[in-house]
Short mmCIF file of all heavy atoms in Angstrom, two decimals:
data_model
loop_
_atom_site.label_atom_id
_atom_site.label_comp_id
_atom_site.label_asym_id
_atom_site.label_seq_id
_atom_site.Cartn_x
_atom_site.Cartn_y
_atom_site.Cartn_z
N GLU E 203 90.24 -2.62 208.50
CA GLU E 203 91.69 -2.46 208.54
C GLU E 203 92.26 -1.86 207.27
O GLU E 203 93.44 -1.53 207.21
CB GLU E 203 92.35 -3.85 208.76
CG GLU E 203 92.14 -4.40 210.15
CD GLU E 203 92.83 -3.54 211.21
OE1 GLU E 203 93.90 -2.99 210.93
OE2 GLU E 203 92.28 -3.41 212.31
N ILE E 204 91.41 -1.66 206.26
CA ILE E 204 91.90 -1.05 205.02
C ILE E 204 92.37 0.36 205.26
O ILE E 204 93.25 0.88 204.59
CB ILE E 204 90.79 -1.12 203.93
CG1 ILE E 204 90.60 -2.55 203.48
CG2 ILE E 204 91.11 -0.21 202.76
CD1 ILE E 204 89.46 -2.78 202.54
N VAL E 205 91.78 1.04 206.28
CA VAL E 205 92.21 2.42 206.57
C VAL E 205 93.66 2.44 207.10
O VAL E 205 94.29 3.45 207.11
CB VAL E 205 91.25 3.10 207.57
CG1 VAL E 205 89.86 3.17 207.01
CG2 VAL E 205 91.24 2.34 208.90
N LYS E 206 94.11 1.27 207.61
CA LYS E 206 95.50 1.16 208.05
C LYS E 206 96.21 0.33 206.98
O LYS E 206 95.87 -0.82 206.80
CB LYS E 206 95.59 0.44 209.39
CG LYS E 206 94.81 1.09 210.51
CD LYS E 206 94.89 0.19 211.73
CE LYS E 206 94.04 0.77 212.88
NZ LYS E 206 94.04 -0.13 214.05
N PRO E 207 97.15 0.90 206.27
CA PRO E 207 97.81 0.14 205.22
C PRO E 207 98.34 -1.18 205.74
O PRO E 207 99.04 -1.22 206.76
CB PRO E 207 98.95 1.04 204.77
CG PRO E 207 98.44 2.42 205.11
CD PRO E 207 97.65 2.28 206.38
N ARG E 208 97.97 -2.29 205.09
CA ARG E 208 98.42 -3.60 205.52
C ARG E 208 98.96 -4.31 204.31
O ARG E 208 98.52 -4.16 203.22
CB ARG E 208 97.27 -4.40 206.15
CG ARG E 208 96.57 -3.68 207.27
CD ARG E 208 95.48 -4.56 207.87
NE ARG E 208 96.04 -5.51 208.78
CZ ARG E 208 95.49 -6.69 209.06
NH1 ARG E 208 94.40 -7.05 208.42
NH2 ARG E 208 96.04 -7.51 209.93
N ALA E 209 99.91 -5.17 204.57
CA ALA E 209 100.52 -5.94 203.48
C ALA E 209 100.33 -7.43 203.75
O ALA E 209 100.45 -7.90 204.86
CB ALA E 209 102.02 -5.62 203.39
N ALA E 221 100.24 -5.21 209.98
CA ALA E 221 100.09 -3.77 209.84
C ALA E 221 101.43 -3.12 209.53
O ALA E 221 102.45 -3.48 210.11
CB ALA E 221 99.50 -3.16 211.10
N VAL E 222 101.41 -2.16 208.62
CA VAL E 222 102.63 -1.42 208.27
C VAL E 222 102.54 -0.05 208.89
O VAL E 222 101.62 0.71 208.66
CB VAL E 222 102.77 -1.31 206.73
CG1 VAL E 222 104.03 -0.54 206.39
CG2 VAL E 222 102.81 -2.71 206.10
N ASP E 223 103.51 0.30 209.77
CA ASP E 223 103.43 1.54 210.51
C ASP E 223 103.45 2.76 209.63
O ASP E 223 102.72 3.74 209.80
CB ASP E 223 104.58 1.61 211.54
CG ASP E 223 104.44 0.54 212.62
OD1 ASP E 223 103.30 0.16 212.92
OD2 ASP E 223 105.48 0.07 213.13
N SER E 224 104.31 2.75 208.67
CA SER E 224 104.41 3.92 207.79
C SER E 224 104.86 3.47 206.40
O SER E 224 105.74 2.65 206.26
CB SER E 224 105.39 4.96 208.34
OG SER E 224 106.67 4.40 208.47
N LEU E 225 104.26 4.05 205.40
CA LEU E 225 104.62 3.74 204.02
C LEU E 225 104.81 5.06 203.26
O LEU E 225 104.15 6.05 203.55
CB LEU E 225 103.49 2.95 203.34
CG LEU E 225 103.29 1.49 203.73
CD1 LEU E 225 102.03 0.97 203.07
CD2 LEU E 225 104.49 0.66 203.35
N PRO E 226 105.69 5.03 202.28
CA PRO E 226 105.77 6.20 201.40
C PRO E 226 104.43 6.43 200.75
O PRO E 226 103.68 5.48 200.50
CB PRO E 226 106.84 5.77 200.37
CG PRO E 226 107.61 4.68 201.02
CD PRO E 226 106.63 3.98 201.94
N VAL E 227 104.10 7.66 200.48
CA VAL E 227 102.77 8.00 199.92
C VAL E 227 102.51 7.21 198.63
O VAL E 227 101.39 6.73 198.42
CB VAL E 227 102.70 9.52 199.63
CG1 VAL E 227 101.42 9.87 198.89
CG2 VAL E 227 102.81 10.30 200.91
N GLU E 228 103.54 7.04 197.83
CA GLU E 228 103.31 6.36 196.55
C GLU E 228 103.03 4.89 196.75
O GLU E 228 102.57 4.20 195.83
CB GLU E 228 104.51 6.56 195.63
CG GLU E 228 105.83 5.96 196.13
CD GLU E 228 106.61 6.94 197.02
OE1 GLU E 228 105.99 7.95 197.44
OE2 GLU E 228 107.79 6.71 197.26
N ASP E 229 103.34 4.32 197.95
CA ASP E 229 103.13 2.90 198.18
C ASP E 229 101.81 2.61 198.86
O ASP E 229 101.50 1.44 199.13
CB ASP E 229 104.26 2.34 199.05
CG ASP E 229 105.58 2.26 198.28
OD1 ASP E 229 105.51 2.27 197.07
OD2 ASP E 229 106.64 2.21 198.93
N TYR E 230 101.00 3.63 199.16
CA TYR E 230 99.71 3.38 199.77
C TYR E 230 98.81 2.66 198.80
O TYR E 230 98.84 2.92 197.58
CB TYR E 230 99.06 4.71 200.19
CG TYR E 230 99.42 5.11 201.59
CD1 TYR E 230 100.75 5.48 201.90
CD2 TYR E 230 98.49 5.14 202.61
CE1 TYR E 230 101.11 5.88 203.15
CE2 TYR E 230 98.85 5.53 203.89
CZ TYR E 230 100.15 5.89 204.17
OH TYR E 230 100.49 6.27 205.44
N PRO E 231 97.95 1.72 199.30
CA PRO E 231 97.06 1.00 198.38
C PRO E 231 96.15 1.95 197.63
O PRO E 231 95.75 2.99 198.14
CB PRO E 231 96.23 0.11 199.33
CG PRO E 231 97.09 -0.01 200.58
CD PRO E 231 97.81 1.29 200.68
N VAL E 232 95.84 1.56 196.40
CA VAL E 232 94.92 2.35 195.61
C VAL E 232 93.56 2.37 196.28
O VAL E 232 93.08 1.35 196.77
CB VAL E 232 94.83 1.76 194.18
CG1 VAL E 232 93.78 2.51 193.36
CG2 VAL E 232 96.19 1.75 193.49
N HIS E 233 92.92 3.53 196.33
CA HIS E 233 91.61 3.62 196.93
C HIS E 233 90.60 2.80 196.15
O HIS E 233 90.58 2.80 194.92
CB HIS E 233 91.13 5.10 196.98
CG HIS E 233 89.73 5.24 197.48
ND1 HIS E 233 89.42 5.07 198.82
CD2 HIS E 233 88.56 5.50 196.85
CE1 HIS E 233 88.10 5.24 198.98
NE2 HIS E 233 87.58 5.52 197.78
N ALA E 234 89.80 2.04 196.88
CA ALA E 234 88.77 1.20 196.22
C ALA E 234 87.48 1.32 196.98
O ALA E 234 87.44 1.14 198.19
CB ALA E 234 89.24 -0.25 196.19
N LYS E 300 89.47 -3.97 192.20
CA LYS E 300 90.74 -3.39 192.62
C LYS E 300 91.23 -3.97 193.91
O LYS E 300 92.44 -3.95 194.20
CB LYS E 300 90.57 -1.86 192.78
CG LYS E 300 90.28 -1.10 191.50
CD LYS E 300 90.20 0.38 191.78
CE LYS E 300 89.94 1.19 190.52
NZ LYS E 300 89.81 2.64 190.81
N ARG E 301 90.30 -4.48 194.71
CA ARG E 301 90.67 -5.07 196.00
C ARG E 301 89.83 -6.33 196.19
O ARG E 301 88.66 -6.41 195.78
CB ARG E 301 90.39 -4.09 197.14
CG ARG E 301 90.61 -4.65 198.53
CD ARG E 301 90.42 -3.57 199.60
NE ARG E 301 91.48 -2.61 199.53
CZ ARG E 301 91.28 -1.28 199.48
NH1 ARG E 301 90.05 -0.79 199.48
NH2 ARG E 301 92.33 -0.47 199.46
N PRO E 330 100.77 -7.73 191.81
CA PRO E 330 100.95 -6.63 192.78
C PRO E 330 99.94 -5.50 192.62
O PRO E 330 99.79 -4.69 193.50
CB PRO E 330 102.38 -6.17 192.53
CG PRO E 330 102.68 -6.59 191.11
CD PRO E 330 101.94 -7.87 190.90
N ASP E 331 99.25 -5.46 191.45
CA ASP E 331 98.30 -4.40 191.21
C ASP E 331 96.98 -4.66 191.93
O ASP E 331 96.12 -3.75 192.06
CB ASP E 331 98.02 -4.26 189.71
CG ASP E 331 97.56 -5.57 189.08
OD1 ASP E 331 98.11 -6.62 189.49
OD2 ASP E 331 96.70 -5.52 188.20
N LEU E 332 96.79 -5.88 192.40
CA LEU E 332 95.51 -6.24 193.08
C LEU E 332 95.76 -6.26 194.58
O LEU E 332 96.63 -6.96 195.10
CB LEU E 332 95.05 -7.62 192.61
CG LEU E 332 93.68 -8.10 193.13
CD1 LEU E 332 92.56 -7.17 192.65
CD2 LEU E 332 93.40 -9.53 192.69
N ASP E 333 94.98 -5.48 195.32
CA ASP E 333 95.09 -5.40 196.77
C ASP E 333 94.31 -6.54 197.41
O ASP E 333 93.09 -6.58 197.33
CB ASP E 333 94.54 -4.03 197.25
CG ASP E 333 94.73 -3.84 198.74
OD1 ASP E 333 95.49 -4.60 199.36
OD2 ASP E 333 94.08 -2.93 199.29
N ILE E 334 95.03 -7.50 198.01
CA ILE E 334 94.40 -8.70 198.55
C ILE E 334 94.47 -8.64 200.08
O ILE E 334 95.56 -8.43 200.63
CB ILE E 334 95.08 -9.96 198.04
CG1 ILE E 334 95.02 -10.02 196.52
CG2 ILE E 334 94.45 -11.23 198.64
CD1 ILE E 334 95.84 -11.15 195.89
N ARG E 335 93.35 -8.84 200.73
CA ARG E 335 93.28 -8.89 202.18
C ARG E 335 92.70 -10.23 202.60
O ARG E 335 91.91 -10.82 201.88
CB ARG E 335 92.40 -7.78 202.75
CG ARG E 335 92.71 -6.39 202.15
CD ARG E 335 94.11 -5.95 202.52
NE ARG E 335 94.49 -4.74 201.81
CZ ARG E 335 94.58 -3.55 202.38
NH1 ARG E 335 94.33 -3.38 203.64
NH2 ARG E 335 94.96 -2.50 201.66
#
Side-chain angles (χ1 to χ4, degrees):
E203 288 296 325
I204 289 173
V205 299
K206 303 174 183 177
R208 306 182 80 206
V222 180
D223 294 330
S224 61
L225 287 173
V227 173
E228 62 273 13
D229 290 339
Y230 270 66
V232 175
H233 175 73
K300 294 182 178 179
R301 174 176 291 130
D331 56 321
L332 185 63
D333 184 14
I334 302 172
R335 313 296 171 109

